Amino acid sequence: MQLNQDVRINLDRFWSTIEASALIGPGRPGGMSRLTLTDEDREMRSLFERWCTDAGLRIVIDEVGNMFARREGSEPDLPPIFIGSHLDTQINGGRFDGIAGVLAGLEIVRTLNDNGYETRRAIVIVNWTNEEGARFSPPMVASGCFAGKHQVSWVHDLIADDGARFGDELERIGYRGEQRCPGTPPDAYYELHIEQGPILDAEHRQVGIVISSYPSVGMRVKFSGETAHTGPTPMDLRKNALIAGARWLTAVDEIGWDFSVGDGKATGARLAAWPNKPGILSDYAQAICDVRHPDPVTTRVMAEKMRRAVFECAAIAGCKADIEDEWFWGGDIFDHDMIDVLHTEAERMGFDWRDIQSQAGHDAYFLATVCPTAMIFAPCRDGITHNNLESCEPEDFSAGINVLLHAAVARADR
Amino acid sequence: MQLNQDVRINLDRFWSTIEASALIGPGRPGGMSRLTLTDEDREMRSLFERWCTDAGLRIVIDEVGNMFARREGSEPDLPPIFIGSHLDTQINGGRFDGIAGVLAGLEIVRTLNDNGYETRRAIVIVNWTNEEGARFSPPMVASGCFAGKHQVSWVHDLIADDGARFGDELERIGYRGEQRCPGTPPDAYYELHIEQGPILDAEHRQVGIVISSYPSVGMRVKFSGETAHTGPTPMDLRKNALIAGARWLTAVDEIGWDFSVGDGKATGARLAAWPNKPGILSDYAQAICDVRHPDPVTTRVMAEKMRRAVFECAAIAGCKADIEDEWFWGGDIFDHDMIDVLHTEAERMGFDWRDIQSQAGHDAYFLATVCPTAMIFAPCRDGITHNNLESCEPEDFSAGINVLLHAAVARADR
């Protein structure tokens, strides 16, 4: 048995789930502010759970709150196919980033139910906890835990800016499950996501097949100085950690401009100092920056410049610097066979598709370390994300979800 | 009648009040963290009130919480002499900054009581609310209100970083008084303060007579950008307000170094951004910087460079900038006749004194706009203030308070 090649998903039904999601944790007009492990996150998880149960799926929660909604296959002992993304958003986020990927999985399952089609392998829709890292840093922490990159206890002990502990908040909203982490890798992982650069939209393409991702290096740095009066303290006796941090962000921004011709980017994303008040020099600053570039060697050069700048900027400000954390993402991480099938399906259905590189971080990056993984991008107006102006039409998702449906079912029947 | 020239204050008694104060709101070891309008501030105000009442003084509180403890003179209708400073501290403050000035006033009154001496004019000890600006910005806000620089309603509506409103906190701790602001200017204002640069300590001087203050210009700037994803957004489309702020702080620090040979200083004191998170560009940043230099013309040049940097840095970061507030302090603001008397008294008592310039902001700056004003500095180890390592010995205050005693009484008897 094989799924009829003419089967298509129900776009209106998919869109109605997007609209229902958009009511839970709205932020600025048109956007979302559904931070992980908040009451809004709980409400969305609960709605998602109800939809899945109504579709006949069995829900399992793991120790870090990842949700797995399983549609059984005819051979339950085979490793399943995962289709997932995340239901949390940035503090000023949009209605599609992450959410569309989870709800695409739901729509695929509903379509299979409509057609009474049983796959050989189970299909599991996954909602990864805290992809955004907007409340608990770092981002993608729970897919990282699933993939064995982080320890469960370390994840539970993360503290948010509001003082809350990850493990306590997970208990509070009732989504600390029993399933152990790291989890058992699936046969394959698919993630559909809106694009985050204005490429598909600018070229009026219907779907992007992600062939690789921009290598990226990030660092979290602590600068240590000494408090003193801002007035009389001579420049050469100052140890203002805020200035060390401001100089580092400035230097990293310059690196971004220096490499921008080759599409390099560098970001000063966070600078938090203490006491950070007029009248007193700050003795503490925490800063987070990253660099990325399509070429891995150039990324390494940018990262090395970013690293040297840490210590140069600290020295000018009379401070000490510690690189507290450093991370590397991306590269040629996606499965070539899965990419080939996506190409074939997009071509067969007559969609206007193109290969594309991913520039942002995704849960798929961690999954790619434990199983064959592929990503599909849907167009998004002007590529604007992490902003309430993020905007898509229903039709933007039609090609992507249908390609995902047929590729995932073909994989599930292998 | 004239105060016997041999009368001296009781240094042990003064020191015991310093030690009692140090128990209320201790911060890091040896320091203080007694932020304005907190429970600790209330406890200190209450203790000060009890000491004053025990010394026979009458307490009046004004609408912004300034405390006036009055020792009546033989001619109550004459404008009184004010001796004051502040009992609040920085978040990582010391035991003497501000506190010593208020408690010096108390010791002078107690000494007059011991000697049964009645002055012609009343002497009023003043505790100015929120000198530090560590909780509610700007600093010296309540002496500014007394001097007519700020409106009472504007002061009451100030919001702290912790979300508290000035007026509500004033009510809560029970120190919103009836006396109207702006207040009636006194005949003269004296403020004793520890030095904030290591000049007296380095030269082993007993007391500093403040002849002028470094002109200083400060600015609070808002940078406005747009949130967007840190990954794919090209450098030339970014509007990262955090980078605009970081670049401005860096530029201001460079101005400080450029003018440091002539003892210029420039400070990046605060940078707060939103959302200030990895993964997203910030659309808002607030930054506070200032410049100061002993020469007024050079200060103006530094300020102009600081102002130009606001817009240059905003432009590089693709952001808009608004200078929300700008302030100017200092210059030749102290009363020459009062300075002459301080010189005379210091010389008569045989102290090792020197003239000195004030580099920090003080309540005295606002008082100087409405009445003749003078300041006295006491030595402080290595000039370290706004730090828990701020350190003085009892003997550091002996010369300063005795000079203040005889100068203030001479003025009160005029």
Side-chain angles (χ1 to χ4, degrees), chain B residues 9 12 24 47 103 107 124 165-166 216 241 262 272 338 343 370 406:
Chain B
I9 58 118
D12 291 341
I24 302 173
L47 175 62
L103 300 181
E107 178 50 37
V124 177
R165 184 176 162 272
F166 190 103
S216 169
M338 289 170 73
H343 284 152
V370 294
H406 285 281

Side-chain angles (χ1 to χ4, degrees), chain B residues 101-401:
Chain B
V102 179
L103 300 181
L106 178 65
E107 178 50 37
I108 284 168
V109 161
R110 285 171 166 180
T111 299
L112 294 178
N113 288 351
D114 290 347
N115 287 273
Y117 187 82
E118 182 177 45
T119 52
R120 186 164 171 251
R121 295 168 187 270
I123 291 180
V124 177
I125 315 169
V126 189
N127 170 36
W128 303 108
T129 301
N130 187 40
E131 192 270 349
E132 292 290 5
R135 189 169 175 224
F136 296 95
S137 199
M140 308 176 320
V141 76
S143 55
C145 192
F146 177 89
K149 160 88 176 169
H150 308 303
Q151 298 256 321
V152 171
S153 59
W154 182 83
V155 175
H156 283 174
D157 284 339
L158 292 175
I159 303 292
D161 278 354
D162 58 18
R165 184 176 162 272
F166 190 103
D168 296 341
E169 286 293 276
L170 194 58
E171 292 274 8
R172 189 185 66 80
I173 70 163
Y175 278 91
R176 176 168 177 167
E178 300 289 323
Q179 179 133 312
R180 303 298 295 271
C181 249
T184 307
D187 176 65
Y189 177 69
Y190 291 95
E191 184 166 350
L192 176 140
H193 206 281
I194 55 170
E195 67 169 333
Q196 286 160 311
I199 295 171
L200 299 175
D201 182 56
E203 298 182 3
H204 303 290
R205 306 275 193 170
Q206 292 173 282
V207 59
I209 313 288
V210 184
I211 51 164
S212 66
S213 74
Y214 278 40
S216 169
V217 177
M219 291 176 189
R220 187 178 76 239
V221 175
K222 181 178 80 172
F223 295 101
S224 305
E226 271 182 28
T227 69
H229 200 295
T230 57
T233 311
M235 295 305 294
D236 58 331
L237 295 183
R238 291 174 178 230
K239 300 175 179 178
N240 187 351
L242 175 61
I243 287 296
R247 284 183 172 273
W248 188 48
L249 265 68
T250 300
V252 170
D253 193 58
E254 285 294 334
I255 295 168
W257 283 100
D258 288 348
F259 289 86
S260 62
V261 172
D263 205 32
K265 283 125 188 176
T267 303
R270 177 173 166 84
L271 178 57
W274 190 92
N276 201 30
K277 294 281 187 186
I280 187 165
L281 305 179
S282 288
D283 66 5
Y284 167 84
Q286 184 200 65
I288 298 178
C289 291
D290 63 57
V291 295
R292 61 194 84 198
H293 192 283
D295 172 53
V297 175
T298 308
T299 302
R300 282 206 298 277
V301 170
M302 293 173 76
E304 183 55 29
K305 285 176 174 279
M306 173 168 68
R307 185 192 326 278
R308 290 182 188 180
V310 168
F311 301 101
E312 288 166 6
C313 294
I316 293 172
C319 294
K320 283 197 307 183
D322 296 292
I323 297 176
E324 293 189 318
D325 195 15
E326 183 171 346
W327 53 92
F328 172 80
W329 283 341
D332 180 21
I333 58 176
F334 297 118
D335 185 78
H336 293 206
D337 291 341
M338 289 170 73
I339 291 170
D340 284 348
V341 174
L342 294 172
H343 284 152
T344 305
E345 290 296 340
E347 196 63 36
R348 179 180 68 75
M349 289 187 263
F351 296 132
D352 188 357
W353 62 275
R354 65 160 280 172
D355 286 339
I356 195 165
Q357 279 188 293
S358 167
Q359 300 188 47
H362 292 290
D363 292 311
Y365 294 14
F366 280 126
L367 272 291
T369 66
V370 294
C371 69
T373 294
M375 289 193 77
I376 295 171
F377 278 180
C380 168
R381 277 314 76 62
D382 301 323
I384 293 172
T385 65
H386 289 195
N387 187 297
N388 54 308
L389 300 178
E390 181 183 295
S391 172
C392 297
E393 298 300 319
E395 195 50 49
D396 293 318
F397 294 101
S398 179
I401 306 180

Side-chain angles (χ1 to χ4, degrees), chain A residues 82-155:
Chain A
F82 278 11
I83 300 173
S85 194
H86 58 96
L87 293 170
D88 71 320
T89 79
Q90 284 283 342
I91 195 166
N92 186 29
R95 288 176 294 150
F96 308 100
D97 180 345
I99 298 162
V102 179
L103 300 181
L106 178 64
E107 178 50 35
I108 284 169
V109 161
R110 285 171 165 180
T111 300
L112 294 178
N113 288 352
D114 291 346
N115 287 272
Y117 189 81
E118 182 177 41
T119 52
R120 187 164 171 247
R121 295 167 188 272
I123 291 179
V124 177
I125 314 169
V126 189
N127 171 35
W128 303 107
T129 302
N130 188 40
E131 192 270 350
E132 292 291 6
R135 189 169 176 222
F136 296 96
S137 201
M140 309 176 317
V141 76
S143 54
C145 192
F146 177 88
K149 160 89 177 169
H150 308 303
Q151 299 255 322
V152 171
S153 59
W154 181 84
V155 174

